[in-house]
């Protein structure tokens, strides 16, 4: 098999290659003067099982086009099977019509990837599981729960007083996956959205007084919702609040918001390459998902079970 990396997250791609003890495929992925994307594969890939590693994070449209053009280049070079490895799947939050005359962009992106020539998709912690059904090709959705639970066990010597908190009702299943691995109880923050990226805490379901809390979610973007939830939990009597989030989008001044918040720590994976500000933030820590995704790639290439990773 071969690994081809786009420009969205070279650091993660190199870590995956190191885990698999494989070199990254030599390729040119660059821009013309008018910012059009040019891709040239500098190795023979005929009959190969190729994995294209590319998160569609900021700049989302550029990274998405880069992925599509890489897939097209491989298809025309007669690769036997092409797997789009997307540690972070952009546009996932637009997974349904939220009002009149609005798009379902996640389905559109799924169609683009399929039509470009991908034979399979490998991603991690989709915003909603039903997005797997948007693809007409096999789609593996890895979960970060084992990775995060392992880090929590390493960081917290005593887990008896820990309480896992879902920041909204929709994330209960995701938070429960971590809570069950830690034998911890679960609480829920009931929030109301007043607009895109804006929310207010309406109620807290569960007794949080005197407990150490861990908020668990899939995406942190502006961090406003996360920081508001943390403040509400502290106001309700929690001793401390940390957050574990799979995808650290952290757009705009999100890192400043986290730094000034009551959060003890925000832990994210490296599914999205950290900016200089995020990497230098004292309250933000990254754990690597390279081994998890790398092992899934190895299993797919060897036609082994991926779900066994989470037993």
């Amino acid at each position: 098999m071969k690994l081809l990396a786009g420009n969205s997250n070279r650091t993660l791609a190199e870590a995956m290659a190191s885990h698999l003890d494989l070199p990254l495929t030599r390729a040119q992925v660059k821009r013309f003067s008018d910012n059009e994307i040019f891709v040239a594969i500098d190795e023979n890939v005929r009959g190969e099982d190729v994995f294209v590693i590319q998160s569609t994070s900021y700049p989302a449209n550029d990274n998405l086009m880069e992925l599509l053009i890489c897939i097209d280049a491989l298809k025309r070079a007669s690769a036997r099977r092409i797997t789009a490895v997307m540690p972070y799947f952009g546009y996932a939050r637009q997974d349904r019509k939220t009002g009149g005359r609005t798009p379902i962009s996640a389905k559109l992106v799924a169609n683009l990837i399929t039509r470009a020539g991908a034979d399979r998709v490998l991603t991690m912690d989709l915003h909603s599981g039903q997005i797997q059904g948007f693809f007409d090709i096999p789609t593996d959705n890895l979960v970060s729960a084992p990775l995060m639970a392992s880090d929590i066990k390493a960081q917290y010597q005593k887990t008896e007083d820990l309480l896992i908190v879902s920041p909204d009702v929709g994330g209960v299943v995701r938070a429960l996956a971590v809570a069950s691995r830690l034998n911890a109880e679960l609480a829920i923050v009931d929030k109301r959205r007043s607009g895109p990226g804006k929310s207010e805490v309406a109620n807290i379901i569960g007794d949080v007084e005197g407990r150490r809390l861990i908020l668990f979610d899939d995406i942190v973007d502006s961090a406003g919702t996360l920081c508001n939830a943390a403040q509400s939990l502290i106001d309700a009597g929690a001793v401390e609040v940390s957050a574990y989030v799979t995808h650290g989008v952290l757009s705009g001044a999100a890192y400043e918001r986290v730094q000034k918040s009551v959060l003890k720590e925000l832990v994210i994976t490296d599914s999205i390459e950290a900016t200089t500000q995020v990497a230098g933030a004292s309250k933000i820590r990254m754990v690597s998902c390279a081994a998890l995704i790398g092992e899934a790639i190895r299993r797919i290439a060897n036609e082994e079970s991926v779900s066994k990773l989470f037993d």
Side-chain angles (χ1 to χ4, degrees):
M1 66 173 174
K2 287 185 179 290
L3 302 177
L4 175 65
N7 291 321
S8 69
N9 197 338
R10 295 285 301 189
T11 305
L12 177 60
E14 288 166 2
M16 287 185 203
S18 177
H19 176 81
L20 292 167
D21 196 24
L22 280 174
L24 291 174
T25 299
R26 295 192 308 276
Q28 302 174 54
V29 184
K30 54 188 182 182
R31 301 287 192 273
F32 287 115
S33 58
D34 63 351
N35 215 36
E36 284 186 8
I37 297 165
F38 171 75
V39 173
I41 314 298
D42 294 333
E43 292 183 23
N44 180 25
V45 295
R46 184 179 296 273
E48 295 279 3
D49 193 1
V50 187
F51 294 82
V52 187
I53 303 166
Q54 178 82 337
S55 283
T56 50
S57 49
Y58 176 84
N61 300 328
D62 286 358
N63 286 332
L64 176 59
M65 279 304 299
E66 208 172 273
L67 172 64
L68 298 176
I69 294 170
C70 284
I71 292 171
D72 185 72
L74 290 166
K75 195 75 175 176
R76 295 176 189 278
S78 301
R80 178 175 59 85
R81 181 172 66 174
I82 303 166
T83 302
V85 180
M86 307 171 69
Y88 171 67
F89 181 86
Y91 285 103
R93 285 170 285 182
Q94 299 179 46
D95 61 350
R96 64 194 183 281
K97 285 178 69 71
T98 55
R101 298 166 298 283
T102 58
I104 304 178
S105 303
K107 171 59 176 169
L108 172 61
V109 171
N111 287 346
L112 288 170
I113 292 168
T114 304
R115 292 295 295 171
D119 299 295
R120 191 179 197 97
V121 170
L122 174 63
T123 187
M124 181 173 68
D125 273 354
L126 284 169
H127 186 59
S128 51
Q130 65 263 27
I131 293 175
Q132 294 172 85
F134 291 178
F135 289 92
D136 294 324
I137 54 178
T139 304
D140 292 302
N141 181 31
L142 305 178
V143 294
S144 66
L147 181 67
M148 296 304 206
S150 177
D151 187 81
I152 292 169
K153 288 177 181 177
Q155 295 296 318
Y156 294 83
Q157 300 302 318
K158 292 177 61 180
T159 59
E160 292 81 8
D161 63 336
L162 283 182
L163 187 65
I164 306 300
V165 181
S166 173
D168 54 41
V169 175
V172 169
V173 173
R174 191 179 297 111
L176 189 60
V178 174
S180 62
R181 290 176 181 274
L182 299 170
N183 293 319
E185 296 176 9
L186 183 71
I188 305 166
V189 174
D190 177 22
K191 69 181 182 185
R192 300 286 186 268
R193 286 205 174 275
S194 55
K198 298 179 181 178
S199 66
E200 297 177 359
V201 175
N203 196 18
I204 297 172
I205 304 169
D207 184 13
V208 301
E209 189 170 357
R211 307 288 291 273
R212 293 186 296 166
L213 309 184
I214 294 177
L215 282 158
F216 187 75
D217 207 357
D218 63 320
I219 299 174
V220 53
D221 188 351
S222 65
T225 298
L226 193 69
C227 294
N228 288 342
Q231 184 63 60
S232 297
L233 292 167
I234 289 292
D235 293 342
V239 174
E240 65 180 44
V241 181
S242 297
Y244 278 71
V245 183
T246 306
H247 307 298
V249 176
L250 296 171
S251 59
Y255 75 96
E256 294 179 354
R257 203 168 282 121
V258 171
Q259 288 292 96
K260 295 175 182 177
S261 73
V262 297
L263 282 171
K264 177 187 175 185
E265 184 181 42
L266 169 62
V267 181
I268 57 178
T269 73
D270 54 355
S271 63
I272 297 173
E273 193 159 43
T275 62
T276 304
Q277 294 93 336
V278 170
S282 59
K283 280 192 175 183
I284 301 175
R285 181 168 59 86
M286 297 185 77
V287 296
S288 181
C289 58
L292 173 64
I293 301 177
E295 180 60 20
I297 289 173
R298 188 191 66 77
R299 286 172 176 264
I300 290 170
N302 293 338
E303 306 294 347
E304 297 175 7
S305 171
V306 173
S307 60
K308 288 287 185 181
L309 279 171
F310 310 109
D311 288 348

